[in-house]
Structure formats: structure tokens, C-alpha cells
Amino acid sequence: MILSDPFPFALRGKPAQLRVVRNNGHCWGEIRCGTDRFAVSTKRDLYEQEDEAAATVLINAAKRRPDALAPSLLVS
């Protein structure tokens, strides 16, 4: 598993960080917002994208989700 450096951004007005995660040909984002953590992904294949480009897509996807900080999406 490969993790990128964190990309800071604001989610629902709160400071957050996203790390791009790559493993076995798959790519997704892990977001930390305060003490909450959750995963975000898209149907778009981001595995070969540069970290910054993948992070931009994943951050935008997280911001579009109205339930982004819902407990059911939190990673344990």
C-alpha cells in the first residue's frame, strides 16, 4: 500500500486532510477531519494519476457528498 503526503483542505467548514492511497491497482482517498476518518473513491481510474491530480478529484468528490461526515462512512 502506498500513501501520499497529506493534502489539506476544508470539508464542511472544518480543516481536513486527504491522503491518496494506492494498492493492487486501486486508488482511493482517506480523509481525516478532526477525529473522524473516512474513505472516498470515484468510478474514475486514478491509479496512474499524479498524487496532486488524484487528490483534486477525490477532494471534489468528498465535497459533493452531503453525507461526507456521516458515521456510516467513517473508517474504523
Side-chain angles (χ1 to χ4, degrees):
M1 184 178 326
I2 301 170
L3 296 171
S4 72
D5 290 333
F7 291 88
F9 70 105
L11 182 64
R12 308 286 182 257
K14 298 179 182 178
Q17 290 185 338
L18 176 130
R19 286 184 187 265
V20 177
V21 183
R22 291 182 173 84
N23 192 26
N24 294 328
H26 300 282
C27 181
W28 67 94
E30 183 177 289
I31 295 176
R32 290 181 186 227
C33 187
T35 58
D36 296 331
R37 287 179 22 175
F38 68 96
V40 63
S41 62
T42 67
K43 292 181 181 180
R44 188 171 160 189
D45 182 8
L46 301 172
Y47 193 80
E48 297 295 329
Q49 297 290 320
E50 295 290 330
D51 287 348
E52 188 172 310
T56 299
V57 171
L58 294 165
I59 288 168
N60 288 336
K63 287 181 174 182
R64 284 192 302 267
R65 292 189 68 151
D67 62 346
L69 295 175
S72 63
L73 297 176
L74 300 181
V75 177
S76 46

